[in-house]
């Protein structure tokens, strides 16, 4: 599983991210995938959801609960109990968000930072390939990788990320004829350069797996942690993303490639909440799907994206807490589904049961 920092739908263009676009065309592309942000810490929000299948409580808890609570049905624990080697990888220090202890508590054998991976610059995703032998060890493995280079701000402040790709980014953006203020275009161009660095790692990883003949039995799932929220002009972001409604900002890329899975376009509305139940289905893992906040994307349930504040979206209708509710019964069910998941985390339900 590769969680892509800030890789938004508007960056999914062959001129910007040719490797990710190829995987999207040749693999399974989830056309209506969303990453709702219940926490302001967007990366950590999706990190917890996509690894545990639970929704983190918005208020009233300490972040230390993720280092101490029981998560027996996390993907890491489920895979480990089936004999898989399980490791996580992110260039940032293990002290940030206490990831080192959080990931081990989620069931990973080890959290590997830039120091473990021998990365010359922790902000450059291309250096992640140094840890290939750890990411793809012999035998059955489950590896969780979080990229970094898509991070903002999209300014000279992170010139070390954009510099290797800035000429290519300027040429691609010029060809695309994007319209906006000078600041808009500058940020957009830097964002493209950042995405190119992430795409370089994606290409490196797939090339190694193909060279070793491992893609037939190795599935790679790539999904964003959140939309490109580091663009400072929201109106410009809505424009380049080609959306009108705020819930549509949560629309992000999600691609499944390899593992002998046939090419497909999945139009069903789904979200980060649905990832764990779907993986459990694909790998026949012994997780009890009644306890997860989402539904199996490939099953008959779901098709609706729960949003923060009790809202929801299904591509045609959306409810945001106003007086006019198009489907009160559905709203009540989704609110209960999310609130019960948050409460399970809050009270450490799986340790007590």
């Amino acid at each position: 599983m590769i969680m892509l920092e800030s890789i938004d739908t508007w960056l999914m263009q062959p001129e910007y991210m040719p490797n990710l676009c190829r995987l999207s065309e040749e693999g399974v592309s989830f056309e209506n995938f969303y990453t709702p942000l219940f926490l302001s810490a967007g990366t950590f929000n999706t990190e917890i959801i996509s690894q545990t299948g639970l929704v983190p409580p918005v208020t009233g808890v300490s972040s230390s609960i993720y280092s101490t609570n029981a998560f027996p049905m996390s993907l890491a624990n489920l895979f480990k109990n089936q004999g898989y080697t399980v490791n996580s990888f992110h260039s940032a220090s293990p002290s940030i968000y206490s990831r080192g202890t959080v990931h081990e508590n989620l069931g990973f054998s080890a959290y590997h930072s830039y120091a473990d991976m021998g990365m010359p610059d922790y902000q450059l995703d291309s250096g992640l390939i140094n840890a290939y032998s750890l990411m793809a060890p012999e035998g059955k493995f489950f590896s969780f990788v979080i990229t970094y280079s898509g991070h903002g701000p999209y300014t000279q402040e992170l010139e070390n990320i954009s510099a290797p790709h800035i000429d290519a980014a300027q040429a691609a953006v010029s060809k695309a004829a994007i319209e906006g203020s000078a600041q808009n275009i500058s940020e957009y161009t830097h964002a493209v350069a950042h995405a190119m660095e992430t795409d370089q790692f994606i290409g490196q990883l797939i090339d190694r797996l193909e060279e070793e003949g491992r893609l037939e039995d190795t599935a790679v799932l790539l999904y964003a942690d959140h939309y490109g929220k580091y663009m400072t002009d929201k109106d410009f972001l809505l424009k380049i993303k080609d959306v009108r409604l705020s819930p549509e900002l949560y629309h992000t890329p999600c691609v499944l490639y390899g593992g002998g899975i046939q090419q497909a376009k999945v139009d069903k509305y789904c979200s980060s909440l649905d990832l764990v139940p779907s993986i459990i289905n694909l790998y026949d893992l012994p997780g009890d799907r009644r306890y997860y906040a989402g539904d199996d994307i490939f099953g008959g349930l779901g098709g609706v994206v729960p949003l923060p504040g009790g809202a929801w979206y299904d591509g045609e209708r959306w409810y945001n807490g106003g007086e006019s509710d198009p489907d009160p019964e559905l709203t009540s069910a989704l609110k209960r589904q999310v609130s019960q998941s948050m409460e399970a985390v809050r009270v450490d339900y799986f340790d007590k049961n």
Side-chain angles (χ1 to χ4, degrees), residues 308-352:
W312 56 265
Y313 184 61
D314 66 0
E316 296 180 359
R317 304 170 299 170
W318 70 290
Y319 173 64
N320 66 348
E323 294 181 359
S324 177
D325 189 337
D327 193 334
E329 186 174 337
L330 175 61
T331 300
S332 178
L334 291 176
K335 288 179 69 174
R336 184 168 59 253
Q337 186 172 311
V338 171
S339 65
Q340 287 179 343
S341 184
M342 288 184 176
E343 190 65 12
V345 177
R346 191 192 317 275
V347 303
D348 198 6
Y349 176 86
F350 296 102
D351 183 56
K352 296 177 172 61

Side-chain angles (χ1 to χ4, degrees), residues 67-79:
S67 300
T68 57
N69 279 16
F71 296 98
M73 294 199 300
S74 69
L75 286 176
N77 277 319
L78 293 176
F79 275 115

Side-chain angles (χ1 to χ4, degrees), residues 48-332:
I48 295 301
I49 291 173
S50 67
Q51 295 305 307
T52 68
L54 301 171
V55 182
V58 178
T59 60
V61 297
S62 166
S63 60
S64 64
I65 66 172
Y66 302 105
S67 300
T68 57
N69 279 16
F71 296 98
M73 294 199 300
S74 69
L75 286 176
N77 277 319
L78 293 176
F79 275 115
K80 181 166 61 178
N81 291 339
Q82 296 297 307
Y84 285 69
T85 299
V86 295
N87 285 284
S88 65
F89 304 82
H90 184 39
S91 58
S93 165
S95 64
I96 297 178
Y97 290 117
S98 300
R99 276 199 177 94
T101 54
V102 168
H103 282 211
E104 289 189 13
N105 188 52
L106 292 180
F108 290 103
S109 298
Y111 169 84
H112 301 277
S113 69
Y114 74 98
D116 300 326
M117 295 186 279
M119 298 176 67
D121 184 333
Y122 80 94
Q123 295 181 323
L124 295 180
D125 287 340
S126 57
L128 289 168
I129 200 64
N130 290 357
Y132 174 79
S133 60
L134 293 172
M135 291 179 186
E138 293 298 321
K140 299 189 296 183
F141 67 89
F142 170 58
S143 292
F144 175 44
V145 183
I146 305 175
T147 67
Y148 185 95
S149 296
H151 211 290
Y154 302 132
T155 64
Q156 292 298 319
E157 182 179 335
L158 292 179
E159 185 180 12
N160 59 311
I161 299 176
S162 57
H165 309 279
I166 195 66
D167 291 342
Q170 288 172 339
V173 172
S174 177
K175 183 179 178 181
I178 303 298
E179 296 181 355
S181 68
Q183 181 177 343
N184 290 155
I185 300 304
S186 177
E187 288 185 3
Y188 184 97
T189 303
H190 279 87
V192 170
H194 287 217
M196 287 178 169
E197 175 65 22
T198 298
D199 194 65
Q200 183 175 335
F201 164 66
I202 294 171
Q204 291 169 328
L205 178 64
I206 297 301
D207 285 348
R208 289 289 297 273
L209 290 170
E210 287 181 331
E211 288 169 5
E212 296 182 4
R214 303 189 69 183
L215 271 175
E216 276 301 307
D217 59 2
T218 303
V220 182
L221 179 67
L222 306 103
Y223 60 101
D225 58 349
H226 52 71
Y227 66 92
K229 64 178 184 175
Y230 297 107
M231 297 296 292
T232 56
D233 186 337
K234 185 176 179 180
D235 288 335
F236 179 68
L237 176 59
L238 290 168
K239 177 184 174 183
I240 58 176
K241 199 169 168 68
D242 193 25
V243 299
R244 296 177 298 105
L245 306 174
S246 291
E248 293 179 293
L249 281 175
Y250 293 132
H251 184 202
T252 53
C254 182
V255 176
L256 178 62
Y257 185 79
I261 300 170
Q262 298 300 309
Q263 185 276 338
K265 301 288 184 185
V266 177
D267 292 326
K268 182 178 180 179
Y269 275 73
C270 55
S271 74
S272 50
L273 281 65
D274 301 319
L275 291 179
V276 173
S278 302
I279 293 169
I280 285 174
N281 170 36
L282 288 174
Y283 285 86
D284 195 26
L285 297 174
D288 190 332
R289 280 183 268 171
R290 294 176 301 172
Y291 291 106
Y292 297 114
D295 296 294
D296 175 13
I297 297 172
F298 302 104
L301 300 177
V304 177
V305 178
L307 299 169
W312 56 265
Y313 184 61
D314 66 0
E316 296 180 359
R317 304 170 299 170
W318 70 290
Y319 173 64
N320 66 348
E323 294 181 359
S324 177
D325 189 337
D327 193 334
E329 186 174 337
L330 175 61
T331 300
S332 178

